[in-house]
């Protein structure tokens, strides 16, 4: 049976036609790595010493229960990592690592409770990366994670070339890993495999009323964004995925090519939440103006849009954080347990220190 059309919810008349604005962005705390000279914000974790995580990026959240989140990171190097040289320096390279946190009081930063470890007590690689297939795999990068029908999943892209040109990264495939034991062990779900040119090579997930919504792009930062959905219980059955076609205004089952753009490019690493108080979807993502046909100049920012319906009209692009204030910024990921009030928290990566930082922003509705 085809999924029923998304039902429109009763909207508060005071917020019906107004857009979200995110203001007063602050760098709350360091999440990974070691503090640099002159840093004045909190650094509650010693990831280099405790888990051999000296340099890393991303920080992709997903909800495991009402007080626990998982956090996936990207390419990671050990405690001898040297900040200021960007990613890729230091020993013990892992394509991705995984942390867990029970900290829901984020005003002073987010404390990591534990990480998935190897037999030496160091953070271990979850999604098989370059060391598993040298010469063919460059690395395996998480793009999103979600708990669906009680099982934890991570979507990742298997990269063979970063320099694909025109804002593209070249993949062998994208796929899922699943954990049936609260994130302790993970296994590849080969039946969910997206081809190299897939519109869902990179994704962000959000769950509402038993439905998982998936906004995807081609690998890289130059693509438009597309929309799909499926029931939680069907996450491992790609033939039951439905794709939004804006031309026919219909959901089309099992035909990814039918998906039409819902957000114009360029869209980079994205994060999606539904704000319960203001009843609007918010998406944040990396933006590189060099791949924007309307601008075409070099300018990097973390941006956001909002909408009443995922398959409706999204707001214009709005800047959340700029490279002028945060050089080398990329990859914003919302903390999913903080979607009820007037402050959102998100992680953001900075290239030169090659580490992840917790950020906050105030949420307002336009008058």
């Amino acid at each position: 049976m085809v999924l029923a059309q998304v039902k429109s919810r009763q909207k508060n008349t005071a917020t019906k036609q107004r857009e979200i604005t995110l203001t007063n962005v602050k760098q709350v705390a360091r999440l990974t790595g070691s503090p640099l000279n002159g840093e004045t914000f909190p650094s509650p974790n010693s990831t280099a010493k405790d888990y051999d995580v000296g340099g890393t990026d991303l920080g992709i959240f997903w909800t495991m229960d009402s007080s626990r989140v998982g956090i996936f990171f990207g390419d990671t190097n050990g405690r001898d990592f040297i900040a200021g040289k960007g990613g890729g320096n230091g020993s013990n390279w892992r394509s991705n690592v995984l942390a867990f946190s029970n900290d829901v009081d984020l005003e002073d930063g987010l404390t990591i409770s534990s990480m998935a470890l190897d037999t030496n007590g160091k953070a271990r690689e979850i999604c098989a990366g370059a060391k598993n297939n040298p010469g063919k795999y460059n690395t395996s990068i998480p793009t999103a994670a979600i708990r669906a029908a009680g099982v934890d999943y991570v979507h990742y892209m298997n990269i063979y070339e970063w320099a694909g040109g025109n804002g593209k990264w070249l993949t062998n495939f994208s796929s899922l890993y699943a954990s049936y034991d609260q994130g302790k062990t993970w296994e590849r779900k080969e039946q969910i495999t997206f081809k190299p040119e897939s519109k869902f090579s990179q994704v962000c997930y959000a769950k509402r009323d038993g439905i998982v919504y998936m906004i995807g792009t081609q690998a890289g930062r130059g693509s438009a964004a597309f929309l799909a959905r499926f029931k939680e219980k069907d996450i491992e059955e790609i033939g039951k995925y439905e794709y939004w076609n804006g031309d026919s205004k219909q959901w089309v089952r099992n035909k990814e090519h039918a998906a039409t753009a819902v957000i114009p490019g360029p869209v980079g690493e994205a994060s999606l939440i539904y704000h319960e108080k203001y009843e609007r979807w918010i998406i944040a993502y990396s933006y590189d103006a060099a791949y924007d046909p309307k601008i075409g100049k070099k300018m990097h920012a973390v941006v956001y849009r909002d909408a009443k319906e995922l398959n409706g009209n999204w707001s214009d692009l709005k800047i959340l954080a700029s490279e002028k204030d945060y050089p080398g910024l990329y990859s914003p990921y919302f903390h999913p347990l903080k979607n009820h009030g007037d402050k959102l928290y998100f992680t953001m990566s900075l290239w030169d220190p090659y580490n992840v930082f917790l950020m906050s922003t105030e949420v307002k509705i336009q008058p």
Side-chain angles (χ1 to χ4, degrees), residues 68-293:
R68 188 181 193 223
V69 295
I71 316 167
F72 266 103
F73 298 97
D75 283 315
T76 298
N77 288 97
R79 67 186 66 192
D80 58 344
F81 167 84
I82 299 174
K85 291 187 175 182
N89 77 85
S91 61
N92 193 20
W93 171 40
R94 291 137 289 171
S95 290
N96 47 83
V97 295
L98 170 60
F100 305 97
S101 177
N102 296 97
D103 187 359
V104 293
D105 182 4
L106 305 184
E107 284 296 311
D108 59 351
L110 182 145
T111 300
I112 291 173
S113 306
S114 63
M115 295 193 75
L117 304 177
D118 61 19
T119 56
N120 296 316
K122 299 179 180 181
R124 75 174 190 271
E125 185 176 276
I126 302 298
C127 306
K131 291 179 287 187
N132 300 84
N133 196 343
K136 185 175 182 181
Y137 294 2
N138 182 310
T139 189
S140 288
I141 302 298
T143 78
I146 195 163
R147 173 165 287 194
V151 180
D152 296 303
Y153 295 91
V154 57
H155 176 288
Y156 74 104
M157 55 183 170
N158 183 268
I159 301 285
Y160 77 84
E161 176 58 65
W162 288 108
N166 199 30
K168 294 181 67 174
W169 305 324
L170 305 181
T171 65
N172 292 304
F173 59 85
S174 296
S175 188
L176 301 185
Y177 270 73
S179 174
Y180 301 90
D181 57 6
Q182 305 291 316
K184 297 181 180 67
T185 61
W186 295 78
E187 61 184 60
R188 166 87 188 276
K189 310 306 293 186
E190 294 189 24
Q191 71 270 34
I192 305 295
T193 297
F194 300 91
K195 295 179 180 179
E197 294 297 319
S198 172
K199 297 171 182 176
F200 299 88
S201 294
Q202 290 176 250
V203 307
C204 53
Y205 291 126
K207 185 172 65 174
R208 192 157 177 79
D209 299 334
I211 305 298
V212 176
Y213 297 96
M214 179 173 73
I215 291 182
T217 68
Q218 293 182 308
R221 295 175 180 162
S223 169
F226 305 84
L227 175 64
R229 68 178 186 180
F230 47 86
K231 293 179 181 178
E232 283 190 61
K233 67 181 183 63
D234 293 334
I235 189 171
E236 295 186 20
E237 298 187 55
I238 197 167
K240 294 183 178 180
Y241 286 27
E242 294 184 348
Y243 304 92
W244 177 251
N245 183 280
D247 297 329
S248 64
K249 307 297 182 184
Q250 293 181 335
W251 294 95
V252 181
R253 173 173 286 202
N254 196 27
K255 293 182 180 179
E256 182 192 312
H257 67 270
T260 57
V262 292
I263 298 174
V267 178
E269 306 92 333
S271 177
L272 177 69
I273 62 166
Y274 183 78
H275 197 286
E276 297 290 346
K277 179 177 179 179
Y278 294 120
E279 299 180 308
R280 292 188 76 92
W281 295 96
I282 306 173
I283 189 170
Y285 55 91
S286 300
Y287 171 78
D288 188 335
Y291 307 119
D292 190 335

Side-chain angles (χ1 to χ4, degrees), residues 304-318:
Y304 70 99
R305 299 176 189 260
D306 62 287
K308 295 192 292 292
E309 301 290 348
L310 288 171
N311 55 358
N313 295 320
W314 286 86
S315 71
D316 291 337
L317 179 150
K318 294 171 275 193

